[in-house]
């Protein structure tokens, strides 16, 4: 499988067409952004970590019955995926208070919820990915009620599988963002990436941050945190 024309360059990945109209190749970059692109930088080796870790997560999830876009890892940074029409919703699951949740509701970080929460942001950089509810998503024709119900069910399932998996690695899965896409025959599958860019990971003993918050908050040790996650996963 080889790359044809570039279809899109995002903040963290490039997407290329292939000879097969139903497949594309994603190429993970080391570019890092935060706060809707206002903060920019480089995390050396991030593209490799995010590509390999995402593929590992997608394969784990497939085994547990979650359909994903994963097809084949081509290299350290490149993967063949099923080309989907992305549902323009960022789906965020939280197990513990952190980040924008803590800020919005005026609570400390680290409060463990009795049950996970779900929220949607409208994926629109110009608007700064505003929070959106089911009714707004329906009004804007971003998805159907049936698709929203499927997405919610799949997102909670992803959480159950990943929470258990990371627990074994002595890592707490605090929160994460997922994106879903629609295949040409209308099926909803998990797409995009699952990585330290899109998840909050805390060491279970020390509560040390092992994710992009180290970059967002200028904490240092960013590359080391990404490398530590790779090591724990066994990659
Ligand atoms: P952003 O667009 O937020 O800057 P990226 O740099 O990660 O993000 O760019 C990758 C883009 O590819 C995203 O817009 C994402 O929604 C999209 N994408 C992810 N998986 C697929 C897929 N399987 N098919 C088509 N597009 C995808
Ligand atoms: N997230 C993401 N992309 C976004 C916004 C959030 O991957 O555009 C992830 C983020 O890494 C975290 C979770 O979603 O794991 C919740 O993020 P939050 O709403 O707390 O926002 P932030 O603090 O990142 O602004």
């Amino acid at each position: 499988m080889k790359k044809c024309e570039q279809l899109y360059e995002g903040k963290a990945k490039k997407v290329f067409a292939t000879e097969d109209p139903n497949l594309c190749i994603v190429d993970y970059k080391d570019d890092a952004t935060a706060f809707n692109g206002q903060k920019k930088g480089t995390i050396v080796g991030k593209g490799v970590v995010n590509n390999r870790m995402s593929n590992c997560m997608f394969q784990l999830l497939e085994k547990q019955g979650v359909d994903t876009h994963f097809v084949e890892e081509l290299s350290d940074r490149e993967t063949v995926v099923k080309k989907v029409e992305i549902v323009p919703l960022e789906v965020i699951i939280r197990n513990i208070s952190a980040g924008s949740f803590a800020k919005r509701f005026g609570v400390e970080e680290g409060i463990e919820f009795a049950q996970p929460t779900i929220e949607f942001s409208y994926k629109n950089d110009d608007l700064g990915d505003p929070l959106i509810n089911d009714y707004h998503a329906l009004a804007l024709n971003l998805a159907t009620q049936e698709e929203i119900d499927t997405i919610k069910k799949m997102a909670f399932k992803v959480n159950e599988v990943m929470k258990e998996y990371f627990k074994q690695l002595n890592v707490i899965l605090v929160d994460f963002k997922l994106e879903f896409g629609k295949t040409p025959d209308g099926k909803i599958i998990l797409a995009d990436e699952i990585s330290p860019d899109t998840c909050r990971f805390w060491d279970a003993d020390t509560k040390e941050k092992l994710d992009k918050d180290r970059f967002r908050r200028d904490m240092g040790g960013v590359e080391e945190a990404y490398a530590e996650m790779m090591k724990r996963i066994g990659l």
Side-chain angles (χ1 to χ4, degrees), residues 35 90 92-94 98-101 104 119 129 175-177 196-200 212-213 216-217:
F35 313 118
E90 299 201 334
I92 293 168
I93 296 272
R94 302 177 190 271
S100 72
F101 182 98
R104 189 181 322 126
E119 72 209 34
D129 297 342
D175 58 29
F176 57 93
K177 182 266 302 178
D197 272 19
T198 63
C199 305
R200 284 195 170 92
K212 196 168 140 185
D213 267 349
R216 293 190 189 98
R217 302 178 188 190

Side-chain angles (χ1 to χ4, degrees), residues 9-53:
E9 174 160 9
K11 298 186 288 290
K13 301 188 285 296
K14 292 178 184 172
V15 182
F16 295 88
T18 68
E19 284 138 353
D20 184 334
N22 292 320
L23 300 176
C24 51
I25 293 174
V26 287
D27 188 337
Y28 286 73
K29 307 189 286 182
D30 285 352
D31 300 355
T33 62
F35 313 118
N36 199 28
Q38 286 170 50
K39 181 179 168 78
K40 288 192 176 71
T42 302
I43 301 173
V44 178
K46 172 172 89 80
V48 176
V49 174
N50 289 7
N51 180 44
R52 298 191 58 207
M53 178 166 167

Side-chain angles (χ1 to χ4, degrees), residues 8 10-13 15 69 81-82 84 86 123 179 192:
Y8 179 77
K11 298 186 288 290
K13 301 188 285 296
V15 182
H69 72 167
V81 298
K82 290 176 193 152
V84 293
I86 292 287
K123 198 172 144 60
E179 290 182 27
D192 204 48

Side-chain angles (χ1 to χ4, degrees), residues 9-181:
E9 174 160 9
K11 298 186 288 290
K13 301 188 285 296
K14 292 178 184 172
V15 182
F16 295 88
T18 68
E19 284 138 353
D20 184 334
N22 292 320
L23 300 176
C24 51
I25 293 174
V26 287
D27 188 337
Y28 286 73
K29 307 189 286 182
D30 285 352
D31 300 355
T33 62
F35 313 118
N36 199 28
Q38 286 170 50
K39 181 179 168 78
K40 288 192 176 71
T42 302
I43 301 173
V44 178
K46 172 172 89 80
V48 176
V49 174
N50 289 7
N51 180 44
R52 298 191 58 207
M53 178 166 167
S54 291
N55 294 341
C56 182
M57 293 301 112
F58 288 137
Q59 288 174 88
L60 170 77
L61 289 162
E62 289 275 355
K63 275 196 210 131
Q64 300 296 321
V66 179
D67 292 321
T68 80
H69 72 167
F70 177 76
V71 177
E72 185 194 2
E73 187 168 288
L74 286 183
S75 72
D76 270 359
R77 289 177 185 271
E78 299 163 307
T79 294
V80 183
V81 298
K82 290 176 193 152
K83 188 175 174 188
V84 293
E85 191 191 323
I86 292 287
V87 177
L89 295 172
E90 299 201 334
V91 181
I92 293 168
I93 296 272
R94 302 177 190 271
N95 296 306
I96 292 179
S97 65
S100 72
F101 182 98
K103 209 166 166 189
R104 189 181 322 126
F105 298 119
V107 296
E108 66 201 90
E109 295 199 307
I111 303 166
E112 199 176 328
F113 304 142
Q115 54 182 50
T117 68
I118 191 164
E119 72 209 34
F120 297 128
S121 291
Y122 176 27
K123 198 172 144 60
N124 183 318
D125 281 340
D126 295 338
L127 301 175
D129 297 342
L131 265 181
I132 186 170
N133 68 26
D134 297 28
Y135 294 94
H136 300 148
L138 288 171
L140 294 170
N141 285 319
L142 305 183
T144 65
Q145 186 64 60
E146 198 188 348
E147 286 164 356
I148 292 171
D149 292 342
T150 301
I151 286 171
K152 283 182 182 169
K153 215 169 134 198
M154 287 175 78
F156 282 122
K157 169 87 181 179
V158 169
N159 186 42
E160 289 315 311
V161 173
M162 294 216 314
K163 225 168 45 180
E164 263 322 294
Y165 174 77
F166 285 108
K167 200 167 154 188
Q168 291 167 32
L169 309 180
N170 209 39
V171 169
I172 300 169
L173 178 62
V174 175
D175 58 29
F176 57 93
K177 182 266 302 178
L178 300 174
E179 290 182 27
F180 291 85

